[in-house]
Amino acid sequence: MSGGIASAGAQEHPLEAFALPTCTISDSSVPATSGGDRDCVLAAGNANEAVEVLQWSLRYCNNQDIAIDGIYGPNTEEAVENVQRVAGITVDGVYGPETRSNMRWIDYGECV
């Protein structure tokens, strides 16, 4: 869809709605921008290293049974929604700073 990111069964997330840049890399096992800023977003349609590191932590530290393939598809979106629901924050399937602060992350092989 032009101007937005959508996935089957999910509401459209217009790119204009994200005031933060897209995460593209891993900074110490947490998604970040190429400049190292962790205040960034990921949503359905993204496919990069940042998605892969998010999936590792969703699977191994947040008990989400998802593949680690670097593609933010419906299963990653659902896993993010599950984490958001448990945390009692807005459930929209979009990874951002609020979701990051409510997740456990892999740090030197341990979940923190």
Side-chain angles (χ1 to χ4, degrees):
M1 248 178 216
S2 177
I5 300 172
S7 67
Q11 76 180 70
E12 183 174 349
H13 301 292
L15 294 175
E16 297 82 31
F18 300 133
L20 297 171
T22 299
C23 308
T24 56
I25 65 165
S26 168
D27 177 38
S28 300
S29 300
V30 176
T33 65
S34 60
D37 188 354
R38 292 179 176 187
D39 285 341
C40 54
V41 295
L42 289 169
N46 291 131
N48 57 37
E49 176 186 330
V51 175
E52 187 174 338
V53 75
L54 171 64
Q55 290 170 331
W56 274 99
S57 286
L58 285 167
R59 182 175 179 101
Y60 295 108
C61 298
N62 295 275
N63 303 313
Q64 300 300 309
D65 186 21
I66 60 169
I68 299 166
D69 61 7
I71 300 169
Y72 202 120
N75 293 335
T76 301
E77 184 174 47
E78 182 179 357
V80 169
E81 289 172 350
N82 290 340
V83 168
Q84 293 168 332
R85 196 172 293 108
V86 168
I89 60 176
T90 301
V91 177
D92 59 8
V94 176
Y95 169 85
E98 187 174 29
T99 302
R100 182 190 73 235
S101 66
N102 283 281
M103 285 182 59
R104 296 186 68 203
W105 294 94
I106 296 173
D107 187 32
Y108 296 105
E110 304 221 4
C111 295
V112 293

